[in-house]
Amino acid sequence: MTVEANVETNKERVRAFWNALYERDWNLIGSFFADDSEYTDVPSPADDVARGPALIVARLRLGLERISGYEHDFRLMVAEVIPW
């Protein structure tokens, strides 16, 4: 896969994640995470980490489920993979 194709694939994945989040499709959201994925909220203590799809989705639901909506503009995305 070329770098350009990889960048577009990465951007499509980010857009798909946000679409699932906007739709609150919790099952689909969970599919974006592996068992060893980690998520923490910015104001949370450093040791307060959700690990794995189920706990990450639970954390996102806790913060997002009650609000009526959220949106943002895609302006910049880090999507390039830099070979080391």
Side-chain angles (χ1 to χ4, degrees):
M1 180 177 283
T2 66
V3 171
E4 293 79 16
N6 199 28
V7 168
E8 285 310 310
T9 299
N10 292 342
K11 287 181 178 183
E12 287 172 21
R13 185 146 178 86
V14 170
R15 287 185 192 101
F17 173 78
W18 278 102
N19 287 335
L21 204 58
Y22 293 144
E23 295 294 321
R24 298 171 193 218
D25 186 339
W26 305 114
N27 290 326
L28 182 56
I29 292 165
S31 74
F32 285 88
F33 301 99
D35 291 338
D36 61 348
S37 295
E38 295 183 350
Y39 172 79
T40 188
D41 294 306
V42 173
S44 296
D47 62 346
D48 184 16
V49 177
R51 289 183 179 84
L55 292 178
I56 292 170
V57 167
R59 177 74 55 91
L60 291 170
R61 286 182 87 154
L62 180 67
L64 299 174
E65 198 163 40
R66 290 189 193 182
I67 62 175
S68 62
Y70 39 89
E71 62 183 63
H72 70 282
D73 295 322
F74 286 108
R75 291 182 291 172
L76 301 172
M77 261 191 253
V78 176
E80 293 182 40
V81 176
I82 301 170
W84 296 102

